[in-house]
């Protein structure tokens, strides 16, 4: 099965080379229908960038290997386990994988300790692995930081917000674009962090083609945030039980707010949706 996947990715890459002068974005589906945030970008000349990476280390490693086995940049929105576990596990044993740079917004002790003890422990372990990865350049980002990789531009629009307790509102928000398309990754940003971003000088950058829905599409940013951002399509990093708010009792019978957010999108006239539980998404 893995070999078939690698072959398909390889053929798809070859088809894109030279014919399409824009980067490719993949939204990876969870292999076990669990929550997670995982995106891979491939530039026109084959540079690979990972956004978060979710839980599925083996699946993601296979995906990266199929693209050449080298990661130019790995961006971590925040150190919740559904965002950084794959990278954390890979750092324990890189097993031939080359990672050049990791970009994140490093949390201080007070913010780390604002979450439960298990999350704090996982975060400190992740940071320790980063500190010990001497072959990897680790960049602690600030709002407004920009970098460019093979014609693809990256800009940090939001970083840690230690005055707001909890990790989600400290998600590093990153805009990615070239001259063909743009994407904004919101991580798990919530209401307060979203409002702070709207009130910041970076609100002017909140325009994109593809918007990653905050916090897997539920209980993230509020309706006002989505009404303010100009975007065309939604990226939903959501397992089916989150997307449909169905934890066993049927559509929209759980306590999640995803269907409410889906209805906001209908009101906004957004009709283009890419949902991770419906399969691997590729956008060129
Ligand atoms: Fe998350």
């Amino acid at each position: 099965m893995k070999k078939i996947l690698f072959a398909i990715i390889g053929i798809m890459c070859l088809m894109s080379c030279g014919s399409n002068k824009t980067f490719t974005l993949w939204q990876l589906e969870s292999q076990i229908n669990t929550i997670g945030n995982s995106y891979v970008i491939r530039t026109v000349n084959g540079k690979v960038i990972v956004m978060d990476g979710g839980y599925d280390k083996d699946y993601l490693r296979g995906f990266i290997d199929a693209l050449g086995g080298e990661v130019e940049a790995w961006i971590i929105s925040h150190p919740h386990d559904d965002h950084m576990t794959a990278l954390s596990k890979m750092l324990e044993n890189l097993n031939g994988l080359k990672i050049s740079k990791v970009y994140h917004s490093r949390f201080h002790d007070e913010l780390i300790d604002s979450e439960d003890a298990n999350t704090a422990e996982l975060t400190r372990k992740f940071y320790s692995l980063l500190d010990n990865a001497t072959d990897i350049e680790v960049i602690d980002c600030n709002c407004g930081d920009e970098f460019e990789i093979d014609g693809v531009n990256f800009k940090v629009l939001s970083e840690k917000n230690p005055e707001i307790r909890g990790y989600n509102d400290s998600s590093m928000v990153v805009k990615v674009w070239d001259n063909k398309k743009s994407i904004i990754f919101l991580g798990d940003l919530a209401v307060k962090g979203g409002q702070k971003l709207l009130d910041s000088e970076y609100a002017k950058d909140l325009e994109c083609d593809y918007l990653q829905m905050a916090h897997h599409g539920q209980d993230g940013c509020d309706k006002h945030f989505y009404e303010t951002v100009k975007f065309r399509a939604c990226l939903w990093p959501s397992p089916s039980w989150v997307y449909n708010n169905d934890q066993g009792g049927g559509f929209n019978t759980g306590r999640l707010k995803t269907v409410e957010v889906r209805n906001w999108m209908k009101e906004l006239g957004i009709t283009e949706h890419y949902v991770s539980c419906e399969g691997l998404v590729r956008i060129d």
Side-chain angles (χ1 to χ4, degrees), residues 109-277:
D109 282 342
E110 195 176 343
L111 183 52
I112 293 171
D113 290 326
S114 72
E115 296 250 333
D116 61 90
N118 183 52
T119 298
E121 185 181 340
L122 289 173
T123 301
R124 289 197 167 94
K125 182 182 178 188
F126 174 57
Y127 286 170
S128 172
L129 288 162
L130 281 178
D131 290 341
N132 290 325
T134 51
D135 291 340
I136 301 173
E137 183 182 354
V138 180
I139 295 122
D140 187 5
C141 298
N142 297 115
C143 286
D145 285 356
E146 292 190 52
F147 54 98
E148 182 258 331
I149 299 171
D150 191 22
V152 184
N153 305 289
F154 298 80
K155 183 172 184 178
V156 177
L157 306 185
S158 185
E159 58 174 296
K160 57 184 165 288
N161 290 311
E163 77 282 10
I164 308 171
R165 289 178 67 83
Y167 280 19
N168 289 346
D169 275 313
S170 282
S171 293
M172 191 167 82
V173 174
V174 180
K175 183 170 182 174
V176 181
W177 77 97
D178 65 5
N179 57 8
K180 292 280 173 54
K181 64 178 177 286
S182 57
I183 304 158
I184 292 177
F185 295 99
L186 294 174
D188 282 355
L189 198 67
V191 175
K192 290 179 180 174
Q195 189 56 53
K196 184 175 175 181
L197 174 52
L198 288 181
D199 292 338
S200 76
E201 65 181 281
Y202 306 105
K204 67 182 185 316
D205 297 303
L206 287 172
E207 184 172 348
C208 61
D209 298 308
Y210 302 92
L211 182 65
Q212 177 242 305
M213 305 305 287
H215 197 233
H216 313 276
Q218 75 89 31
D219 205 20
C221 294
D222 60 12
K223 189 177 182 185
H224 172 61
F225 183 89
Y226 290 115
E227 286 173 338
T228 307
V229 178
K230 292 182 175 61
F231 63 102
R232 192 189 82 223
C234 297
L235 301 173
W236 298 84
S238 318
S240 60
W241 54 273
V242 171
Y243 190 62
N244 295 317
N245 186 26
D246 178 2
Q247 287 93 62
F251 181 78
N252 203 22
T253 55
R255 56 186 176 81
L256 304 181
K257 299 175 181 171
T258 330
V259 174
E260 184 182 350
V261 178
R262 289 170 65 176
N263 286 332
W264 296 347
M265 297 307 114
K266 274 184 199 162
E267 289 175 32
L268 290 171
I270 306 290
T271 58
E272 199 174 333
H273 298 278
Y274 302 92
V275 190
S276 67
C277 62

Side-chain angles (χ1 to χ4, degrees), residues 35-37 78 80 82-83 168 187-188 215-216:
I35 205 157
N37 206 61
H78 65 299
H80 265 150
D82 58 314
H83 296 253
N168 289 346
D188 282 355
H215 197 233
H216 313 276

